[in-house]
Amino acid sequence: MEHAHGFLPFIALLLIVPLVEVQAQSPSTSIGTARALDTLLQDYAYRAFDQPLTGVIYDGQVPSYLSGIKIAALRLRSGSMRRRGVESYKEFEIPMGVIERPYVKRLALVYQNLGNWSSLFYDLPGYSFLTPMLGLLAYDAMNISATNLPELYILAKGRPISIQFTDVGTVPIGSTAQCVSFDLNGLPRFEALMSRNVCLTNVQGHFSIVVKSGSGSHTPPAPVLAPMPIPRPGPTVKEESKVWGIAGPVIGGFAAFVFWGLILVFLVRYKRKKNMAQMEHESEHGVPLQVVNMGVVRLPAAAATRTGPELEHREVP
């Protein structure tokens, strides 16, 4: 069942991708495709970790069929993020007081810049993007080889997280730019800009600046999608624990069997060797036979018997 759940987002992705151009005209976002993309990008972002240092940003590489998307990963101690925050993580500024739920000892913040793929994965009817879609998602980072991890929920309890976009298109005359954020369920939320290129958020998600369509905005042309191959997810921590839960007793029982078998063989050989040594000792140090002289020859002779022979019938015929 665990493997089946791991494959579902990618199976959904394969079914949806060939129909992206049709769905671009649909009133809803391709949330199944976007969630599958998050799972895939988490895997590739974690591959950038090679004996990772805490607080260091590692840029990842996406597969060639997603050229144009940028990713990065930042590994932090939970307490460090809460006490000090992160002054600069790409376009994001994370203040003090940000917490995660459920609690983990170490977490990783995965950064996404979807570039000209933004409108394909986050369709917003009636609006055009002035910036690429940026993503900030948190995951457990105790096992950096893990895949298909669920997102953690992060919350800025004090100052909000700031997003300073660096590539903002021109706002058409008469139009008003807005911040838009998508939560993990694909629901959009609109907020006012703090300045020309700054948006604020208290939670994780995907963020961009948009204007209403029909104003001559410069939304970049969307790339042509090729079907995404299904990556083979590695075993989860839960699956590995199940395997070791079964293999552990079997290996332990076999080792105990071999150990006691060796002990038994050693005892048998020791007993046999001891008996042989005792027999040799008796043969070399036993009671010697008496020797008698017969002429010039000395011959061994048995000792006299204690009881002399008696006739069975005393009467002699």
Side-chain angles (χ1 to χ4, degrees), residues 204-242:
Q204 65 183 10
H206 294 82
F207 313 92
S208 183
I209 298 176
V210 296
V211 293
K212 288 189 176 181
S213 299
S215 303
S217 58
H218 82 301
T219 301
V224 178
L225 285 172
M228 287 188 181
I230 301 176
R232 184 181 300 276
T236 63
V237 174
K238 184 176 180 181
E239 289 173 344
E240 291 178 352
S241 63
K242 286 182 179 180

Side-chain angles (χ1 to χ4, degrees), residues 12 60 106 114 167 246 292:
R106 293 180 182 272
L114 302 187
D167 183 15
I246 297 173
V292 297

Side-chain angles (χ1 to χ4, degrees), residues 165-227:
F165 294 89
T166 57
D167 183 15
V168 184
T170 303
V171 179
I173 298 174
S175 298
T176 301
Q178 294 177 281
C179 300
V180 65
S181 62
F182 288 85
D183 63 18
L184 297 182
N185 294 318
L187 298 177
R189 179 178 179 179
F190 294 92
E191 299 282 352
L193 279 164
M194 295 304 297
S195 65
R196 179 181 175 276
N197 65 333
V198 176
C199 295
L200 302 178
T201 182
N202 290 315
V203 296
Q204 65 183 10
H206 294 82
F207 313 92
S208 183
I209 298 176
V210 296
V211 293
K212 288 189 176 181
S213 299
S215 303
S217 58
H218 82 301
T219 301
V224 178
L225 285 172

